[in-house]
Amino acid sequence: MILTLGLLLISAAALIATLLYQLKHKEKDKIPYPDPDLQIPTTAEPIAGQNVTIGSRGKGFIVLFTKSIIQSTNNVYITSENGVQMNLSTSTDLDASIKSQIDRSVNIPSSQHIILPSELELQSFRKEVKSVLIETSSDVFVISHDDGEASVGSTTHIPLHKLSNKYVVVSTEPESTWPSQFAVTAIDDNTTISIIFKMKRNLPLNIEGNTFYNGDVFNFSLDRFQTYQIEHMTDLSGTFIESSVPIAAFSGNDCNLLEGIGACDHLIEQLPPTDSVDVTYIVPPNMNDRDTLIRITAIENANITYMIGSVTRALSLYKSDSFDTKISSSQTCFINSETPILVTAFGLQSTSSTLGDPSMTIVPGLNQYLDYYKIVVPAGYDHNYVSIMIESSEKESLRINGALITTSDIVFEENVSAGKDTYNVRSIRVLEGELTASTVNGERFGLMFAGVTEYEAYGFSGNSMLL
């Protein structure tokens, strides 16, 4: 009896081991990168949520740089919690002299600043191989910072496992000769892509010998690492991008000034998939007397309410339509929709100084908040800020770099009614360099970064996707 029982236990253990082995390798085969065997052990005591792969955290990213009229430096910042191995790779078809400057393997103890060659900047209406694949052995945050003379564009990058096959473009109406633009890159060969154009002004767009107007469809295909950028002299917001398999998509403007003040800045954001956007948002203000233009874009037909101060308004949008409103540097905006919407905040130049210029940030929705972020605040700005949106009853649980927020660092604070809940919105001064934000009890919160110097401003969020 004992012998029989022992044999049964051994057989069961063998069966379980076999199933676990098969499951591991089945899952491994589904994901071509990053290599899950590149694991670096960690021993640090975990902060709530820091070791969970959610939101903008991931092990694989694809990076590109859209066209900018200003010669700029292509900065990428990668942050890890406990150290990672990182591999950078590019297409075998990329010019060897450029490829040799990029492809590498690096050990990152905490954060890494990489400058990529200026030759990676995209040119419109060309199939190019100008994207860069970042693979890491454990989760990281990645931001890019395209910094030129009095112009900058920044974005938080979306991990490969969060990419999808449907996006909606956000850009602004060109105020001069600098176009609006969007770009895509493939992560698989034989990727077919369809562009359904929406144009604020129905101007002809010539692509590869064909002319396209509002509502027309442009079809093409890309192989892995290939990129394609489209530009136009009108706002392309509401243009839909659809693909046969997941791709990465980016949009904005080559350079633009808004509201007729200041000078132009490069605008870019990596777009979240349409199935990862939210229905409820809080938009914090920009500082230094910078107004904020808020763009609400409907993914489907949408009934929306928004509140600025004590005034609530309602509106309805058809699919792909947008609506703009504006807040001052002392106001917030609460937005709620019956169906998913994309919300983008454009910071404007200061009304009282030469600080800032247009910046573009996709706003995180309440259901996109995380409880842990580790991100690099870029260097070279007179003032850097982070805005925090958290349930007011939990605001004391927040820690910046492991410490409570110092009252003297708070430059804005307001409580906002969000349905049945009340959220606390604070903007605080922060220093350049690594920044860790977390809560001691796992409470989730939204995070948006901004920085200004003379005639220049950046902005990006901690996350812009549903968890």
Side-chain angles (χ1 to χ4, degrees), residues 224-269:
R224 186 177 179 184
F225 286 116
Q226 282 191 319
T227 56
Y228 198 85
Q229 178 176 279
I230 292 173
E231 65 177 49
H232 201 14
M233 290 311 302
T234 189
D235 187 0
L236 293 170
S237 291
T239 293
F240 270 88
I241 304 169
E242 299 181 0
S243 58
S244 57
V245 293
I247 59 173
F250 302 74
S251 72
N253 288 69
D254 179 338
C255 201
N256 208 11
L257 60 87
L258 300 175
E259 303 281 306
I261 59 172
C264 81
D265 253 30
H266 183 54
L267 301 176
I268 182 175
E269 275 282 12

Side-chain angles (χ1 to χ4, degrees), residues 163-316:
L163 299 180
S164 189
N165 58 357
K166 192 172 183 179
Y167 300 87
V168 63
V169 169
V170 178
S171 61
T172 59
E173 180 69 12
E175 298 235 1
S176 185
T177 58
W178 311 299
S180 62
Q181 59 192 17
F182 64 89
V184 294
T185 184
I187 57 176
D188 291 299
D189 288 339
N190 302 313
T191 299
T192 59
I193 300 170
S194 295
I195 309 297
I196 303 96
F197 287 109
K198 186 175 180 66
M199 304 176 185
K200 184 172 183 179
R201 292 179 294 144
N202 195 21
L203 302 178
L205 178 61
N206 297 311
I207 305 176
E208 300 175 4
N210 297 303
T211 302
F212 297 86
Y213 290 92
N214 184 52
D216 287 345
V217 179
F218 171 50
N219 298 305
F220 61 103
S221 64
L222 295 177
D223 288 330
R224 186 177 179 184
F225 286 116
Q226 282 191 319
T227 56
Y228 198 85
Q229 178 176 279
I230 292 173
E231 65 177 49
H232 201 14
M233 290 311 302
T234 189
D235 187 0
L236 293 170
S237 291
T239 293
F240 270 88
I241 304 169
E242 299 181 0
S243 58
S244 57
V245 293
I247 59 173
F250 302 74
S251 72
N253 288 69
D254 179 338
C255 201
N256 208 11
L257 60 87
L258 300 175
E259 303 281 306
I261 59 172
C264 81
D265 253 30
H266 183 54
L267 301 176
I268 182 175
E269 275 282 12
Q270 181 167 1
L271 297 170
T274 56
D275 59 3
S276 289
V277 302
D278 205 356
V279 295
T280 308
Y281 297 82
I282 296 171
V283 185
N286 280 286
M287 297 298 102
N288 303 106
D289 296 320
R290 298 177 68 215
D291 292 345
T292 301
L293 180 69
I294 301 169
R295 169 76 53 86
I296 303 170
T297 305
I299 306 301
E300 302 290 344
N301 294 346
N303 294 316
I304 301 163
T305 59
Y306 67 99
M307 181 175 67
I308 300 173
S310 59
V311 179
T312 300
R313 294 183 172 88
L315 69 135
S316 295

Side-chain angles (χ1 to χ4, degrees), residues 42-183:
T42 60
T43 57
E45 191 70 23
I47 298 171
Q50 74 182 63
N51 295 319
V52 181
T53 302
I54 56 176
S56 296
R57 295 168 60 85
K59 301 180 181 71
F61 298 81
I62 198 90
V63 173
L64 61 74
F65 291 89
T66 54
K67 183 168 70 73
S68 174
I69 191 173
I70 304 296
Q71 184 175 1
S72 55
T73 303
N74 299 332
N75 301 280
V76 180
Y77 296 93
I78 301 101
T79 49
S80 72
E81 183 53 31
N82 298 310
V84 296
Q85 180 180 339
M86 178 186 69
N87 294 319
L88 297 184
S89 59
T90 51
S91 171
T92 55
D93 295 325
L94 183 64
D95 183 277
S97 64
I98 303 173
K99 185 177 178 65
S100 64
Q101 300 177 57
I102 303 169
D103 291 10
R104 72 193 78 164
S105 181
V106 180
N107 287 320
I108 302 176
S110 183
S111 65
Q112 185 78 22
H113 174 205
I114 296 168
I115 298 177
L116 295 175
S118 60
E119 292 88 347
L120 287 182
E121 182 179 297
L122 302 189
Q123 299 298 311
S124 294
F125 310 117
R126 299 180 187 176
K127 287 186 181 181
E128 303 174 292
V129 284
K130 291 187 175 180
S131 61
V132 178
L133 176 65
I134 299 173
E135 303 169 279
T136 57
S137 57
S138 59
D139 286 348
V140 295
F141 286 103
V142 176
I143 65 167
S144 62
H145 191 70
D146 192 2
D147 191 12
E149 180 66 31
S151 178
V152 65
S154 301
T155 185
T156 302
H157 286 274
I158 296 172
L160 295 179
H161 71 276
K162 286 284 190 175
L163 299 180
S164 189
N165 58 357
K166 192 172 183 179
Y167 300 87
V168 63
V169 169
V170 178
S171 61
T172 59
E173 180 69 12
E175 298 235 1
S176 185
T177 58
W178 311 299
S180 62
Q181 59 192 17
F182 64 89

